[in-house]
Amino acid sequence: MEVTWKIEVLSDVPSNRLGVNGQVAKVTWRIENFSSMKDGKHCSEIFTVDGNNWQLWIYPKGDTVGFLSIYLHFAGSANLASKWTRHAHFRIAVIDRLDRKNSKTRGIASKFEAKKTTWGFRSLLSLTELRKPERGYLLNDVCLIEAYVVTYKTDATVPKEEDINTFFTSLESKFLSSNTNISPKEVKEALADVEKALNMTPVIFSNSGKLSSLTHAFKILASFGGSSTTLTVEQKQKLLAIEKSLKKLADRAAKVSQDKNSLTGKESDNLMVKNKLDRNRIKYKEFESEVEKKLAALRVQVKEAEKKRDNMLAEVKEMEKKMAKYEAEAKNVEKEEKSVEAEWGRIKASISSIKGKI
């Protein structure tokens, strides 16, 4: 287990704000290899606020089963007078290092006495929620705890928890920025994860199951706030856009892989279809050749029939000419016949006339 410990003290806080005495301490406790911590109580270093020594206690497996427990303890309480008291406002937060808006925060105003030197939160965060991979509470097995502590006057009105949180939130910007959230080592590891993913083919990456770790890597890069490497809003937006693009590409690659697998499973069917297609093509060629032969024979027959038709048409026309000539001659004969009969009649009439006169 490796620990990074940082204490910042803000002095001269206006005393009329929740009746504080003047100093506010911010404690940042970064615990690496958190999962290797043993059961039971673990103590932070001692820090001082307004001349009073304090200490954080953490139960990584829970003081109550199923929950992470964190307390504020008045250090050096062994020889306190029986009527000794101190009043303190404090806020403890387990930081979601992927998205600080999801950090688990609790605040309280407490009266510390010789018989009660420890106050805090037995059920601060469920261990199930703490260990969720989509959260950043244990990103890279690092737990980041932040605590704000201030003592206040005994005659001050005890504030509500939301007022305490608002009070400490208003002071956050006054404390120096700290690199304990995302370390340079984690940034290098995140970059290595991104480069490793990009060195894969899209299909291999989509099948690797590393999309979740890649998402964490991008969030680490976007969250890093080193002194000379703080990303601009535009750069962070670009990182998130790249992450979305990679997600879409991974989905498309997964679809391609699925389609290829589907086609591979149909290879035997496709081979049968191909063989049948080849056989049908051969049969078609044979049938096409046979049809061409029959068409060629039919074309010869058609030509002979057309020739015969033409000959018959010529004969018909010739016969029509002869018929026309015959009909013309018949008309002439008929006309001549009628003329002869008429002349015959006149002669006959003349003879009858002469006979009557004799």
Side-chain angles (χ1 to χ4, degrees):
M1 180 183 70
E2 298 180 16
V3 174
T4 302
W5 179 259
K6 184 171 183 177
I7 303 172
E8 299 175 81
V9 178
L10 186 66
S11 300
D12 301 323
V13 176
S15 60
N16 59 346
R17 302 191 67 180
L18 298 185
V20 301
N21 285 326
Q23 281 190 344
V24 177
K26 176 185 177 182
V27 178
T28 305
W29 193 6
R30 176 188 171 97
I31 306 172
E32 300 187 20
N33 301 317
F34 185 84
S35 60
S36 67
M37 296 180 73
K38 296 180 179 179
D39 291 350
K41 180 177 68 179
H42 294 259
C43 303
S44 74
E45 295 181 13
I46 294 174
F47 58 96
T48 303
V49 182
D50 284 321
N52 300 296
N53 293 332
W54 302 92
Q55 192 176 45
L56 294 178
W57 289 356
I58 183 172
Y59 291 78
K61 303 295 190 295
D63 186 19
T64 297
V65 175
F67 284 87
L68 176 70
S69 308
I70 304 179
Y71 301 94
L72 177 66
H73 172 70
F74 186 85
S77 57
N79 300 315
L80 294 177
S82 59
K83 295 185 178 180
W84 174 92
T85 60
R86 286 293 183 276
H87 295 76
H89 300 316
F90 63 95
R91 184 180 79 178
I92 296 175
V94 181
I95 305 300
D96 183 332
R97 297 195 301 132
L98 292 177
D99 188 351
R100 290 184 70 94
K101 294 192 296 293
N102 293 325
S103 299
K104 183 63 177 178
T105 304
R106 292 292 306 275
I108 193 173
S110 299
K111 180 181 180 181
F112 290 79
E113 304 175 281
K115 61 182 179 181
K116 178 65 174 176
T117 57
T118 305
W119 288 92
F121 309 101
R122 178 171 293 177
S123 304
L124 180 60
L125 179 65
S126 74
L127 298 181
T128 301
E129 184 72 11
L130 176 71
R131 294 165 183 157
K132 281 185 177 179
E134 63 269 25
R135 296 297 191 193
Y137 299 123
L138 291 182
L139 179 64
N140 295 332
D141 203 21
V142 174
C143 184
L144 184 66
I145 299 166
E146 290 182 356
Y148 288 84
V149 181
V150 61
T151 60
Y152 65 98
K153 298 175 176 59
T154 57
D155 59 351
T157 302
V158 177
K160 299 178 180 178
E161 181 175 347
E162 60 186 42
D163 295 328
I164 295 172
N165 288 331
T166 300
F167 168 68
F168 287 125
T169 299
S170 69
L171 298 176
E172 285 180 353
S173 61
K174 298 182 181 296
F175 287 94
L176 298 175
S177 61
S178 172
N179 291 342
T180 53
N181 185 10
I182 302 295
S183 69
K185 178 183 176 183
E186 287 177 306
V187 172
K188 289 180 180 179
E189 290 174 349
L191 282 172
D193 287 341
V194 173
E195 290 177 345
K196 185 177 180 180
L198 293 177
N199 285 332
M200 300 180 186
T201 66
V203 172
I204 292 176
F205 172 73
S206 67
N207 294 330
S208 68
K210 293 185 177 181
L211 182 59
S212 176
S213 61
L214 190 64
T215 299
H216 283 183
F218 273 103
K219 287 186 177 181
I220 287 173
L221 294 174
S223 301
F224 183 58
S227 58
S228 61
T229 53
T230 303
L231 297 178
T232 64
V233 173
E234 183 179 355
Q235 288 171 323
K236 290 183 178 181
Q237 290 175 344
K238 189 174 182 179
L239 274 174
L240 294 176
I242 292 173
E243 178 196 355
K244 289 181 179 179
S245 296
L246 285 176
K247 284 182 179 179
K248 290 180 179 179
L249 287 173
D251 291 340
R252 289 170 59 188
K255 181 67 168 56
V256 168
S257 179
Q258 182 180 357
D259 292 344
K260 286 181 70 176
N261 290 336
S262 177
L263 290 174
T264 301
K266 297 177 180 177
E267 280 182 352
S268 59
D269 293 339
N270 292 337
L271 182 60
M272 292 175 61
V273 171
K274 182 180 181 300
N275 291 337
K276 187 175 181 180
L277 176 62
D278 291 340
R279 291 194 300 270
N280 286 344
R281 280 174 176 165
I282 293 172
K283 288 181 179 180
Y284 171 76
K285 288 293 183 182
E286 293 173 349
F287 180 74
E288 184 181 37
S289 177
E290 184 179 347
V291 168
E292 282 297 328
K293 290 177 182 178
K294 290 182 178 181
L295 285 175
L298 285 173
R299 290 189 191 103
V300 172
Q301 293 178 13
V302 168
K303 285 184 179 181
E304 292 176 352
E306 288 176 343
K307 184 178 180 180
K308 187 175 181 179
R309 178 201 64 188
D310 293 342
N311 291 337
M312 291 179 69
L313 181 60
E315 290 178 3
V316 167
K317 288 183 177 180
E318 185 63 27
M319 292 178 72
E320 285 177 344
K321 287 180 182 180
K322 289 179 179 182
M323 189 67 184
K325 184 178 180 181
Y326 169 78
E327 288 176 349
E329 290 177 351
K331 285 182 180 180
N332 289 333
V333 170
E334 184 180 359
K335 184 178 179 182
E336 182 63 21
E337 182 183 19
K338 287 180 179 180
S339 177
V340 169
E341 285 179 351
E343 186 64 27
W344 184 271
R346 285 192 299 271
I347 293 173
K348 185 177 180 180
S350 295
I351 293 297
S352 293
S353 175
I354 294 173
K355 182 181 178 182
K357 290 179 179 181
I358 298 173

